[in-house]
Structure formats: structure tokens, C-alpha cells
Amino acid sequence: SFLGAVGGAVNLATAVIHTFVNIVFGFTFAMYMLFSKETLSYQTKKILLAVLPENVVERIFSLSSLSYEVFSRFVSGQCIEAVIIGGLCYLGMLLFSFPYAPMIAALVGFTALIPVIGAFLGTAVGVLLIFMDSPSKAFWFVIFIMILQQFEGDWIYPKVVGKSIGLPSLWVLAAITIGGSVGGILGMLLGVPLCSVLYCLTREAINGKLKEKITEPEESKGS
């Protein structure tokens, strides 16, 4: 019914606003930590050096530095991808004369910060709004978003985000799939940067082993 559709739209909008508030709070907390990162890093290193060997501490900080670099590039890639998907959604809605184009496109772009399925969260609100204006346009809007989302998941996300963190497209899709099956939306969000960190560590370990095998025959020839 109409009232049921409106109630569903209100509930979904409330959930989106609640998520937005949590993101803003988390972002603010992260900014405080970022501005104090030198002090926190110095204090943490002192504590670790007091209880752990120096080589272990250096390894921990090396891993932390790699993780920080990967996650920062991941966030910037996510933002670029969200702007692209929001822009494409806006242009497509103008092209097909869908109503509420600016608002829905902005919502789709914002929720696209959640990998792969995020745009569908904004789409649900968009469908309900368009449905109240024109049920037939709501149907075609769903078709349009499905095509756009398929294009985003198969091409834009792996190319933009995967390239920004140095992870091949195949592993981006694998990280999203595995992360989603293990941890849901949070798993999808963290799966890609975590996979990138593991990918870098594995590549570093393999290159080190290969370098050792190459230098061993040269040393034996010299002796």
C-alpha cells in the first residue's frame, strides 16, 4: 500500500541518516588521531621497545606503515569511485528524464562508499521516491541502476580502487566476495585493503626468497 511504501522509505532514510552520523563521528575521531599521530606513534614505540625486542618493534612499525599507506589510498580511491558512480547516475537520470535526479544521484554516490552493493541502498530510496511519482519510471530506474551497478562492480571499482592500492582486479573481486561472506558489509569494506596488505607482504616475501636463490649460486661460484 501507499502508506506502507512511505513507511518503508522513512525507515530506510532513517537508517541511512543513522549510518551517516556514525560515519561523521568516526571521521571526526580519525581526524583527532591523525593530528596526534606523531605523539601517538612515539608513545606507542616507547611502550613496545620496553617489552619487545627492537627487531620485532621495527617489523611491527613497518607493517603499520604499509597498512596506513594502503588504507589511505583505499579511502581516496573509494571517494573517487563514489563521485564517478554518482555523476554517471545523475547524467543517466537526466538522459532518461527520471525525477529527483540530483538528490537520488547524490544518495547513490554517497552509499557507493560501501563497496559493490552500497549503491543499491541509495537505489532503494530512489525507487520509492520515483514510484510515488511514476510506477513505470520506477521500474525503468531499477533496470538502469542494475546496468550501472554491473558496470561499476565489474569495471569502475576494480580499476579505480584496485589501481589506487596496487591490487589486481581479480583479487579485488575475490576480496569483496570473501569479505562479504565472512563479515557482511563490514567485511566488504575492509576486505579489499586487508587483501592488499597481505598481497604486498606475500610479494615482498616471495621476492626476498627469489633474491636469496639468485645470490646463493653466485656465492658458491665465488668460493
Side-chain angles (χ1 to χ4, degrees):
S1 64
F2 176 76
L3 292 177
V6 173
V10 170
N11 291 335
L12 188 56
T14 302
V16 171
I17 293 172
H18 180 70
T19 303
F20 176 75
V21 171
N22 288 337
I23 291 174
V24 171
F25 179 78
F27 180 78
T28 304
F29 181 73
M31 287 297 100
Y32 276 112
M33 291 190 65
L34 183 62
F35 291 138
S36 305
K37 65 178 182 179
E38 292 183 1
T39 302
L40 290 173
S41 176
Y42 175 73
Q43 292 174 345
T44 303
K45 193 168 186 177
K46 282 182 64 177
I47 294 172
L48 291 177
L49 285 172
V51 297
L52 295 173
E54 185 176 355
N55 62 329
V56 175
V57 174
E58 292 299 329
R59 185 60 179 169
I60 291 174
F61 269 77
S62 175
L63 179 59
S64 300
S65 176
L66 174 63
S67 300
Y68 171 78
E69 184 179 353
V70 169
F71 273 80
S72 61
R73 290 203 305 260
F74 171 73
V75 171
S76 63
Q78 278 288 124
C79 292
I80 293 172
E81 190 261 351
V83 171
I84 292 174
I85 196 70
L88 290 176
C89 181
Y90 177 69
L91 293 176
M93 292 186 71
L94 289 181
L95 179 64
F96 295 110
S97 301
F98 292 126
Y100 312 112
M103 180 176 64
I104 294 175
L107 186 60
V108 168
F110 173 74
T111 54
L113 292 171
I114 302 173
V116 180
I117 68 166
F120 283 120
L121 299 177
T123 301
V125 178
V127 169
L128 291 173
L129 291 174
I130 295 174
F131 183 84
M132 289 186 285
D133 184 82
S134 171
S136 61
K137 285 186 177 181
F139 171 77
W140 290 112
F141 176 72
V142 172
I143 301 299
F144 164 69
I145 286 294
M146 288 177 65
I147 295 173
L148 181 62
Q149 184 67 7
Q150 187 69 35
F151 176 69
E152 184 262 348
D154 291 344
W155 194 85
I156 297 177
Y157 189 84
K159 294 293 183 181
V160 175
V161 179
K163 186 177 181 180
S164 68
I165 60 178
L167 193 63
S169 301
L170 175 63
W171 293 113
V172 171
L173 295 176
I176 293 171
T177 303
I178 297 172
S181 63
V182 173
I185 294 178
L186 182 62
M188 287 184 174
L189 187 62
L190 298 178
V192 176
L194 288 176
C195 183
S196 180
V197 172
L198 293 174
Y199 179 82
C200 292
L201 292 175
T202 303
R203 182 178 59 189
E204 180 182 316
I206 291 174
N207 289 339
K209 291 293 184 181
L210 290 175
K211 188 178 294 186
E212 289 178 4
K213 287 190 175 183
I214 292 173
T215 55
E216 282 177 1
E218 294 179 353
E219 292 176 355
S220 61
K221 286 180 183 178
S223 60

